[in-house]
Amino acid sequence: MSEGSENKVDVLIQGAGIGGLTLAIALIQRGYSIQVVERTNGLSEIGAGIWMAANPMQVFDRLGFADKVTDAGWMMHRLTLEDYRGEVIQVSDISAIAKLFGFETIALHRSVLQKVLFQQLPAETVRFNTEVKTLSQRSDSVSVQLTDGTSITAKIVVGADGINSQIRALAGLGGEKRYSGSSSYRAIAKGAQLLPAELDHDAYEIWGKGCRVGFSKINANDYYWYMTFDNPAGQSFPLEQKRSHAASLFRDYFPRWTGLLTSTHTEDILQTDISDLKRLNRWSSGRVGLIGDAAHATTPNLGQGGAMAIEDALSLTNAFRKVGFTAEAFELYAKQRREKVDWTVSTSWSIGKMCHIRNPLGRSVRNAVLKLMLSRSSEKQIQKLYSIQ
């Protein structure tokens, strides 16, 4: 479109991340007209790995491309949770979950998943290098001005633009981040040799004192790994200091897995503070609403951040189908999603606090309690996490 031109669509989505792309796919399959706008100049190569559990895989299946996600990633069959002294806290048989819900957990690079999603969309669905500048709601539509000078009239506007959502701010929905007290490193270890072939599909998470590390393969040659550690908010380290800091934590708590770091290029180590979003009273205002991290960002301790956005996309699409492109559709979607999302956010926050306990007695008590709790509540939690509407 040329500067000053105007376009009309059913839904304008801001954000070409996992949630925004999934929503666009679901809506286009229903025959709706869609425009996605993304402020960056292309699909982001920044990021590390992501785990797609049985719940988002069910959504992808309903949309017809679960096999493509599976082919692009690496199946995880088992997750072992340990204390850094070698005590096993829990072993989760992920393949058993797959028998209940039909899909294995797939580990893959975030950029690979984005590309799979992008490939399901018609050409020009996503416009890069632009974002919403202003919006004005009418009784039956939203008038949007973009930063590239063009304008769009949409029946609905959806913010899928992350924890720092611009759409959330423009809609007056508030939003306050809550820092967990921990920062993180994430990276891809290329060509790492860590596990024997029979354990190639295992994932691990090990809890240290004020830190932890976790990892799994994302393809036949590479591992995705992450490390969390207590740190003041906003304190970012230079590249070489990131590596030396990570090396010291590996040396002190995770010496068995130092191969992850030695197989990682220093410039590929990403540091991100771990925060969530304090509970919003509303996820929408009139014809403008939010999905994913823009509405309910969660800490990553359950591996469900992307999954929640993907489930949101399906739920919101179904709400539009039931009641049309109205404010009521956002209310129906929020009613369907609120309980599960609130539980996921609060549970993930609690796990984050537990895994960083420093006191030796506290860790021993935690491990014992978790073993008991996990054995008693795992079935209920599995149903809550992996069932989708």
Side-chain angles (χ1 to χ4, degrees):
M1 289 186 291
S2 61
E3 186 171 336
S5 65
E6 183 169 8
N7 189 26
K8 294 184 178 181
V9 296
D10 291 324
V11 182
L12 173 69
I13 302 166
Q14 176 150 303
I18 292 167
L21 293 176
T22 303
L23 178 61
I25 294 166
L27 291 170
I28 286 173
Q29 289 186 2
R30 294 285 185 183
Y32 303 135
S33 59
I34 308 301
Q35 182 67 70
V36 181
V37 295
E38 167 58 44
R39 65 179 178 84
T40 63
N41 61 9
L43 292 180
S44 174
E45 294 294 329
I46 298 175
I50 190 169
W51 295 345
M52 288 285 95
N55 46 328
M57 291 302 296
Q58 290 174 78
V59 176
F60 294 153
D61 182 57
R62 293 187 188 185
L63 298 177
F65 58 89
D67 58 331
K68 293 182 173 62
V69 177
T70 299
D71 291 344
W74 190 263
M75 288 187 183
M76 292 167 48
H77 294 162
R78 183 170 56 182
L79 171 62
T80 299
L81 174 62
E82 296 180 351
D83 182 272
Y84 78 102
R85 293 186 179 278
E87 179 183 359
V88 175
I89 300 172
Q90 184 192 33
V91 177
S92 299
D93 186 348
I94 302 174
S95 292
I97 295 172
K99 292 177 183 177
L100 293 173
F101 297 98
F103 293 93
E104 301 278 359
T105 293
I106 305 299
L108 68 172
H109 198 290
R110 281 180 176 269
S111 67
V112 171
L113 177 58
Q114 271 190 290
K115 288 176 183 176
V116 171
L117 296 171
F118 188 76
Q119 289 165 0
Q120 311 311 309
L121 294 169
E124 300 183 357
T125 300
V126 182
R127 291 175 58 193
F128 295 102
N129 282 317
T130 190
E131 62 183 334
V132 174
K133 183 178 181 180
T134 63
L135 57 81
S136 176
Q137 296 204 48
R138 304 167 183 167
S139 60
D140 61 349
S141 63
V142 185
S143 179
V144 175
Q145 296 293 321
L146 301 180
T147 55
D148 66 0
T150 61
S151 61
I152 294 178
T153 297
K155 295 176 183 176
I156 289 289
V157 172
V158 178
D161 49 349
I163 191 171
N164 297 311
S165 172
Q166 181 196 28
I167 298 300
R168 188 177 70 234
L170 290 173
L173 292 170
E176 182 181 351
K177 289 196 290 187
R178 177 174 61 162
Y179 181 53
S180 68
S182 300
S183 191
S184 69
Y185 299 138
R186 295 172 294 127
I188 303 299
K190 298 180 179 179
Q193 300 295 320
L194 295 178
L195 298 168
E198 63 270 20
L199 300 180
D200 249 2
H201 295 274
D202 283 21
Y204 285 81
E205 184 168 287
I206 304 96
W207 293 358
K209 293 191 290 186
C211 60
R212 66 179 152 165
V213 72
F215 61 90
S216 75
K217 273 195 165 182
I218 55 171
N219 55 50
N221 300 310
D222 305 327
Y223 281 88
Y224 160 54
W225 64 271
Y226 56 89
M227 174 180 281
T228 67
F229 50 93
D230 295 340
N231 200 53
Q235 181 177 308
S236 182
F237 301 112
L239 275 178
E240 287 300 331
Q241 192 173 343
K242 289 177 188 176
R243 188 176 194 94
S244 61
H245 179 227
S248 69
L249 293 176
F250 272 111
R251 182 175 60 251
D252 292 345
Y253 298 109
F254 319 113
R256 182 183 174 189
W257 309 114
T258 54
L260 290 167
L261 186 60
T262 57
S263 299
T264 298
H265 296 299
T266 301
E267 62 271 20
D268 293 337
I269 301 174
L270 305 173
Q271 183 181 353
T272 308
D273 279 355
I274 298 174
S275 300
D276 67 10
L277 196 64
K278 288 187 177 180
R279 189 182 191 274
L280 297 180
N281 292 326
R282 297 178 299 146
W283 293 348
S284 62
S285 175
R287 292 177 171 272
V288 180
L290 310 170
I291 68 168
D293 283 357
H296 47 70
T298 180
T299 53
N301 304 304
L302 283 172
Q304 284 285 314
M308 291 298 102
I310 291 163
E311 285 193 40
D312 285 352
L314 180 64
S315 177
L316 184 56
T317 299
N318 289 338
F320 290 144
R321 179 177 58 84
K322 289 178 182 177
V323 299
F325 293 115
T326 63
E328 288 73 25
F330 282 122
E331 294 170 4
L332 176 59
Y333 143 75
K335 182 178 180 180
Q336 291 174 338
R337 296 288 297 142
R338 176 68 80 168
E339 181 180 356
K340 181 173 184 178
V341 164
D342 284 352
W343 178 86
T344 301
V345 172
S346 62
T347 302
S348 182
W349 182 268
S350 298
I351 291 173
K353 293 300 181 184
M354 286 190 294
C355 72
H356 277 214
I357 293 174
R358 291 177 175 272
N359 180 273
L361 178 59
R363 292 199 309 274
S364 296
V365 172
R366 174 201 65 192
N367 294 354
V369 171
L370 280 176
K371 288 178 184 179
L372 180 62
M373 287 177 59
L374 291 170
S375 64
R376 290 182 175 178
S377 63
S378 59
E379 183 176 345
K380 182 178 180 180
Q381 289 189 351
I382 284 169
Q383 289 294 331
K384 186 183 290 286
L385 269 179
Y386 302 129
S387 296
I388 65 170
Q389 296 179 327

